[in-house]
Each structure stands twice: as structure tokens, then as C-alpha cells.
Amino acid sequence: MKFTPAFSKTRISLILLALVAGINGCSKEPANQTQAADKANATGFAYVTRQDAGVSVIDLATMQVIKEFDVKAASPRGLGITDDGKKLIVATRENASISIIDTATGAVLQQIPVGKNPEFVRISGNYAFISSEPSAVGGPPPKPGQKPAEEEDDDDEEKIPAKIAVVDLTKGEKVREITGGPETEGIEFSADGKNLVITNEADNTVTVHNISDGSLVKTIHTHEYGDRPRGIKVSPDGNTYLATLEYGNKIMVLDKDFNFVRTVDTGETPYGISYDKKGEHIFVATNKQKALQVFDAKTYEKIKDIPTGNRCWHFTFTPDDKQVLLACGKSDAVFVIDAEKLEVTKQIEVKDMPWGIVTYPKSMGSLDTK
């Protein structure tokens, strides 16, 4: 009779040990998943618009696409992210709107009409600024010296002035417009935050506008240096503005008061442009050159051509500034480039014509600023 209790205690102990082991085993995978999620959140994410689809989300810890967002509209292009990283603002060309996307769920919270052919998106506080191209026509851009398609039938046809839509993200509505030039492309904020600097590719100007009242502050004509200004970027110290001249194969350099300083030769058809965080180097995506070019920001001497893919327009640094991610539309890829060695280290497959790319936490790049 004394044996039975002893056996019961042993069996109970073994059962308890098995339960503890089972619990530990069951909790191991969720713990690993939590650690992986924490690592991804700490490293950040990149968001890539795909012109023939939606938005791809890249986990910067693994450099892999982890999910896709359906923007509920066709032809997403420019994009920006709010300061808290909770909302992604995507310009969708075909419905002349922006989609407000919850980054946690991927749900489209709202679509707001902004104007025909929306292009760039820039965020400042609770406001989004979206450029448009109302006089743009379909098909490839004209070659240097050729007339755009809309001019061939009627030389006297007036180009439609573009509008920069100003959207209050708190109210969820467009609250006003700033009139730019025809086919407004790139948007940059002045160093003091008072002005908006935009590129107007159809009339070959860079214009400066007061953000508060939309008034025109200054017009800089680019034709004698090169046509079709597209990318625009202010230096981290606020003393210099750079504009890429797609049909000049040049960068136009302006001082802090928007006075012309000089031009810098680039590869063929430059587009996206950015400084690095320290303002020591300038990076330029050259479309037909199929290279990301790197220049010394003080001397403007070219440091290196980094071979890339086809139709590479926009790029961003990673939040730690160690890598550059370049969206190459006709290569269906995002190229990963070591920012110190200036070498391509990887290609991430992103199909359906990747167009623009930003990160959260925010980084320096052709579409955003850290």
C-alpha cells in the first residue's frame, strides 16, 4: 500500500515536467516570431509603388518583400509617409487622386481627388503636397529638339498650368491649390520651410512659391542649360538646391537664394537626385545611362558610376544610411547598393514597374528627406 503513493508522486512529477517542456516548446516559435517582428520594426520598412499594380513592402532586416498593398486605383506613382509612419500617401494617376493607406493593415482609409495626372507626393506635418501634370500626354517623352505631341497639331494651344494640391491629412480633404507651370514634376521644401520649390518640365522652369499664400516668388529658366527639369533637392545645410535636367544631361546648381551657380555634367537622362545625410555626396539616377552616379558635393567631381538596371528613376537610403535602394521599373527590381563601397549587393524582385520608393523610419532619398 505504501508503494502506490510513491509511484503516483513520480508519475505526477514526470507529467509536470512534460507539461513544462511542452509549454516551453510551444512558446518558442511565437517568441522567435516576436523577436523577428521587433527586429523588422527596429530596422524599418521600404514602400515601393508599382506603376502597373500596387505597393510592395520590403522588410529592411531581411531585404525581402513581405506583403503587398492594394491601393484600390490604377497607376500608383509618387508616395510619401507621415512622420509617425502610420499612413502612406500614394498618388494614383488614373483616378486623379491620392490613396491614404494604413501601414499596419494595408487598408485604404480614404481616396481624395487632387487633380489630373498626380505625380510627386511630399509630406510636411499634417499636410501633403501633390504635383500634377494636366497637360501631359501618353506615350514616351519627345526626343531633344522634337515638339511634344500636344504641340504637333496646334502650335498655339496653351499648356494647362499645373496645380500643387495641398491636402489636410487631419481633415482628409484638399484645402487649396498652388499654381505651378505646365507638367509640374518634382517638389522640394525650402530650407526655412516657407517656400515650395518645383520643377516644371514642359516649360523648362524651376519655380519658387510661397507656401502660405501660393504666390510666385521666383522663376528660374533652364533652357540654356538643358530642358525638362525633373528631380529637385535641397542640401542638408540648406545652402544649395539641385535640379536634374533630363534633356541636358546635367545638374543645375542654385544657391540658397535660388540664383544660378553652375551646371554639372551627368550621364544620359538624369532624374532622381539626393544628397546623403551628411551632405558630402550627391547621388543621381541616370535613366538611359543605367547607372547611379555619385559626385563630391563640394567639388562636383564624379566619384563613381554604379551600373544598375533599366528605367531606374527613384531611390532612397535605408534609415541607417548604410544602403541605397534604387527602384528600376523595366528591370522589375529594387537594386540594393552598399553606400560606402558604392557597389550593388543584391536585387530584390519587385514586378509591375516599380516607380517610387520611401522608407520608415524616414531616410534621405529622391522622394523624401530624413
Side-chain angles (χ1 to χ4, degrees):
M1 295 296 292
K2 292 181 180 179
F3 176 75
T4 302
F7 175 77
S8 298
K9 286 180 181 179
T10 303
R11 187 169 67 175
I12 290 169
S13 298
L14 290 171
I15 291 169
L16 288 172
L17 286 171
L19 286 171
V20 171
I23 291 168
N24 288 338
C26 291
S27 62
K28 196 170 186 179
E29 186 175 351
N32 289 341
Q33 290 175 351
T34 301
Q35 290 172 2
D38 289 344
K39 184 179 180 182
N41 289 331
T43 309
F45 303 94
Y47 301 91
V48 187
T49 49
R50 294 144 58 218
Q51 207 165 345
D52 294 337
V55 172
S56 292
V57 183
I58 296 173
D59 179 349
L60 297 179
T62 62
M63 288 298 175
Q64 294 180 342
V65 174
I66 56 170
K67 52 187 168 182
E68 310 285 349
F69 292 161
D70 181 354
V71 299
K72 306 297 183 183
S75 301
R77 297 192 292 178
L79 74 169
I81 194 160
T82 54
D83 292 340
D84 60 8
K86 293 181 178 180
K87 293 179 181 178
L88 192 69
I89 318 303
V90 179
T92 49
R93 179 172 183 160
E94 295 306 315
N95 67 348
S97 299
I98 55 172
S99 291
I100 312 296
I101 300 172
D102 184 320
T103 56
T105 65
V108 174
L109 304 175
Q110 189 179 6
Q111 290 182 315
I112 303 170
V114 292
K116 186 178 178 182
N117 292 337
E119 183 91 358
F120 269 51
V121 175
R122 294 299 305 273
I123 309 294
S124 178
N126 291 323
Y127 292 89
F129 296 78
I130 304 97
S131 66
S132 63
E133 299 181 311
S135 63
V137 294
K143 295 180 179 179
Q146 290 185 346
K147 293 180 180 179
E150 74 269 20
E151 291 184 356
E152 291 177 359
D153 295 330
D154 187 358
D155 290 339
D156 297 324
E157 181 180 350
E158 184 178 356
K159 293 185 177 71
I160 305 169
K163 304 288 184 180
I164 306 294
V166 183
V167 174
D168 186 321
L169 296 175
T170 302
K171 294 181 178 179
E173 62 184 39
K174 183 173 75 172
V175 292
R176 60 191 179 91
E177 294 177 329
I178 297 173
T179 302
E183 294 191 42
T184 294
E185 183 85 6
I187 302 176
E188 180 61 290
F189 301 109
S190 63
D192 60 10
K194 295 180 180 179
N195 297 311
L196 208 60
V197 189
I198 62 176
T199 55
N200 306 293
E201 58 178 310
D203 70 351
N204 304 314
T205 62
V206 174
T207 51
V208 184
H209 305 260
N210 182 280
I211 290 178
S212 296
D213 61 17
S215 60
L216 179 64
V217 176
K218 189 167 187 175
T219 299
I220 303 99
H221 295 276
T222 74
H223 179 66
E224 63 178 296
Y225 314 113
D227 290 341
R228 290 176 65 89
R230 301 199 78 177
I232 182 76
K233 202 70 185 176
V234 64
S235 61
D237 64 10
N239 290 327
T240 307
Y241 294 84
L242 305 175
T244 52
L245 306 179
E246 186 182 31
Y247 280 172
N249 300 331
K250 296 181 188 301
I251 302 168
M252 183 173 69
V253 182
L254 307 174
D255 66 17
K256 63 180 181 179
D257 298 315
F258 313 108
N259 297 310
F260 175 81
V261 176
R262 60 171 294 176
T263 59
V264 180
D265 291 335
T266 69
E268 194 174 0
T269 62
Y271 190 179
I273 187 167
S274 180
Y275 287 88
D276 58 15
K277 180 186 174 184
K278 294 181 180 179
E280 296 175 349
H281 301 102
I282 299 164
F283 290 71
V284 184
T286 51
N287 177 16
K288 292 184 179 179
Q289 190 78 16
K290 299 181 182 180
L292 184 67
Q293 297 189 307
V294 188
F295 296 84
D296 185 294
K298 290 184 178 179
T299 66
Y300 298 104
E301 293 294 321
K302 187 169 68 174
I303 295 171
K304 190 172 183 179
D305 285 345
I306 306 170
T308 57
N310 297 313
R311 211 207 72 166
C312 306
W313 279 359
H314 291 293
F315 61 91
T316 182
F317 282 82
T318 52
D320 62 8
D321 304 305
K322 293 182 179 180
Q323 298 176 92
V324 179
L325 307 178
L326 177 66
C328 297
K330 291 187 177 179
S331 291
D332 282 338
V334 169
F335 281 62
V336 183
I337 298 165
D338 186 303
E340 183 177 349
K341 296 179 180 179
L342 303 179
E343 296 175 353
V344 174
T345 59
K346 183 177 181 177
Q347 289 186 43
I348 305 169
E349 183 180 67
V350 180
K351 293 184 177 180
D352 303 311
M353 292 282 282
W355 192 96
I357 182 167
V358 297
T359 70
Y360 190 81
K362 286 175 172 279
S363 308
M364 292 293 289
S366 59
L367 296 175
D368 208 350
T369 301
K370 194 161 187 173

